[in-house]
Amino acid sequence: MAMRPVRIGALALGCLAAAQTGVSARPLAAIRDSGTLRVGLTGDYAPYAIRRGEGAMTGADVTMAHDLARSLGVTLEIVPTTWKSLRDDLLADRYDIAMGGVSVTPDRAAVADFSLPVTQDGKRPIVRCADAQRFVSLDAINRPEVRVVVNPGGTNERFATAHVRGAAVRVHPDNRTIFEEVAEGRADLMITDGAEVDYQSRRHKGVLCPAAVPAPFDRADKAYWMTRDPALKAAVDGWLQPVLTSGAYARALEAAAE
């Protein structure tokens, strides 16, 4: 898949009417007229999208964003966002579609459209390798001496708020450095999606490991989250279906995870 040059864009919750009717931002016709597709990416969630220092973003969904823009006949503009501001930025029309490992949740689906699911994942703990057999259940985690670290604003924090009530939970603001908190002993574990657990375990080989849980603690689809416009959703799904069927997305994910 050939890549086009990327322009890095600049960066109140919607009112009740917006929450009920969904996002009313740029439809597909306006995107095509502008010549630019604005894709929101947090850049902190490998292997989907990760920014290396102050450099360009890489990852499976960066590859997919280039390919989607090309299929629409427009230029890609990456708009930096965060998990905490993801919804606000979409409601404020700062980007057209969010990519990069976005989980499908009812509150997100209430305000904007999701594409076809690209993959499914679930929450698992990542721990220091010596503790791989220790934190194998929520009961083992929910103890006052256990230190859990979590990144703000996304489904990891939601999961911790809902299910981790007996342990000490601390929010670390930067998801790109959060795994060092566990690796260096300032926290005992983080609970995140399995793809990130596996990626960071490979990156910190011999230091961080997946906890030996018998199964993920939950399951959720991941998809692309976009301005509510039937023509845009049809175009995205029409592009995405052969990408999934051909295995191109799986290959991009595998390459980004290396």
Side-chain angles (χ1 to χ4, degrees):
M1 300 174 183
M3 291 190 178
R4 289 175 176 265
V6 178
R7 290 183 292 148
I8 304 297
L11 264 184
L13 291 175
C15 63
L16 179 60
Q20 291 173 336
T21 61
V23 176
S24 179
R26 300 198 315 169
L28 177 61
I31 292 169
R32 283 183 163 143
D33 285 346
S34 75
T36 301
L37 175 71
R38 303 169 305 171
V39 174
L41 288 166
T42 64
D44 64 357
Y45 187 8
Y48 299 102
I50 188 76
R51 186 187 297 282
R52 307 291 183 185
E54 297 304 316
M57 288 192 198
T58 62
D61 279 337
V62 178
T63 300
M64 291 296 107
H66 279 282
D67 198 57
L68 173 58
R70 188 176 65 238
S71 79
L72 297 177
V74 296
T75 299
L76 174 66
E77 177 184 352
I78 290 179
V79 179
T81 185
T82 69
W83 295 111
K84 192 171 183 178
S85 65
L86 193 72
R87 183 179 187 272
D88 290 2
D89 287 347
L90 183 58
L91 289 169
D93 190 26
R94 294 192 178 102
Y95 63 80
D96 305 307
I97 181 168
M99 303 173 77
V102 181
S103 296
V104 177
T105 63
D107 60 310
R108 288 170 177 168
V111 298
D113 283 336
F114 277 105
S115 69
L116 298 170
V118 297
T119 189
Q120 188 181 78
D121 208 343
K123 303 297 183 193
R124 292 191 273 135
I126 184 168
V127 301
R128 289 183 296 281
C129 292
D131 292 330
Q133 299 296 327
R134 178 183 173 193
F135 298 115
V136 296
S137 68
L138 285 171
D139 285 343
I141 293 168
N142 275 316
R143 298 180 180 180
E145 69 274 15
V146 177
R147 300 164 301 162
V148 178
V149 66
V150 66
N151 60 307
T155 58
N156 290 339
E157 187 177 27
R158 293 188 200 186
F159 184 90
T161 300
H163 300 287
V164 183
R165 295 176 176 173
V169 178
R170 174 171 58 88
V171 176
H172 182 79
D174 188 351
N175 200 45
R176 292 181 297 174
T177 62
I178 195 169
F179 297 95
E180 307 309 319
E181 298 298 297
V182 181
E184 296 173 9
R186 291 183 291 273
D188 296 311
L189 62 99
M190 178 185 179
I191 300 173
T192 185
D193 292 322
E196 190 170 41
V197 169
D198 294 339
Y199 176 87
Q200 293 293 341
S201 296
R202 287 191 294 272
R203 191 166 176 266
H204 297 80
K205 191 172 181 63
V207 178
L208 297 181
C209 289
V213 294
F217 294 150
D218 67 0
R219 285 285 183 185
D221 288 332
K222 292 192 180 296
Y224 302 144
W225 193 41
M226 73 198 85
T227 296
R228 183 159 286 162
D229 171 49
L232 178 60
K233 176 170 168 54
V236 171
D237 286 348
W239 157 78
L240 184 56
Q241 184 64 70
V243 167
L244 296 172
T245 302
S246 69
Y249 182 78
R251 290 190 295 275
L253 199 59
E254 183 178 358
E258 292 178 353

